[in-house]
């Protein structure tokens, strides 16, 4: 069973990279990590919800010490910065352990 999953992931990876290479050749773009991330987002392999959750979680880790380890102040700061409701930020942080 694990072999099938590995084969599926390896095949997916090969097809995805070949598609990205073809895209770059067609549009005369260099193969870069930034370009690849944009490609994944544009092709909706990475959802906007995942982007939001990842970004809020990582920014919380950075901002929490700057806010003297006050969660509420950190949440308010992130809500203002990203134009997301405080409740939305709390929701992302509540899901952090379950991802």
């Amino acid at each position: 069973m694990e072999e099938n999953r590995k084969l599926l992931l390896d095949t997916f990876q090969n097809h995805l990279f070949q598609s990205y290479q073809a895209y770059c050749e067609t549009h005369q773009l260099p193969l870069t990590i930034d370009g690849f991330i944009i490609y994944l987002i544009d092709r909706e392999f990475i959802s906007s919800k995942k982007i939001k959750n990842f970004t809020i979680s990582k920014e919380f880790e950075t901002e929490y010490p700057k806010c003297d380890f006050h969660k509420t102040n950190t949440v308010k700061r992130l809500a203002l910065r990203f134009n997301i409701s405080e409740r939305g930020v709390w929701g992302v942080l509540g899901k952090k352990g379950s991802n």
Side-chain angles (χ1 to χ4, degrees), residues 3 11 20 22 28 33 35-36 40 47 50 53-54 56 58-59 65 77-80 82 85-87 94 97 99:
E3 289 178 22
T11 304
Y20 175 59
Q28 298 177 340
I33 189 67
F36 185 63
L40 292 174
S47 69
K50 289 280 186 188
N53 290 354
F54 179 80
I56 294 297
K58 289 298 184 182
E59 286 297 306
R77 181 181 285 191
L78 295 176
L80 283 172
F82 295 109
S85 71
E86 290 178 29
R87 184 176 176 171
N99 282 344

Side-chain angles (χ1 to χ4, degrees), residues 44-76:
E44 297 182 359
F45 280 100
I46 304 172
S47 69
S48 57
K49 182 178 179 181
K50 289 280 186 188
I51 293 168
K52 179 184 82 174
N53 290 354
F54 179 80
T55 303
I56 294 297
S57 295
K58 289 298 184 182
E59 286 297 306
F60 183 85
E61 291 172 8
T62 302
E63 293 299 317
Y64 188 52
K66 294 177 185 176
C67 291
D68 296 324
F69 300 96
H70 289 103
K71 286 184 181 179
T72 301
N73 292 344
T74 308
V75 167
K76 287 180 180 182

Side-chain angles (χ1 to χ4, degrees), residues 1-10:
M1 204 51 109
E2 191 64 29
E3 289 178 22
N4 291 341
R5 179 182 156 105
K6 171 102 170 85
L7 177 61
L8 183 67
L9 291 174
D10 288 346

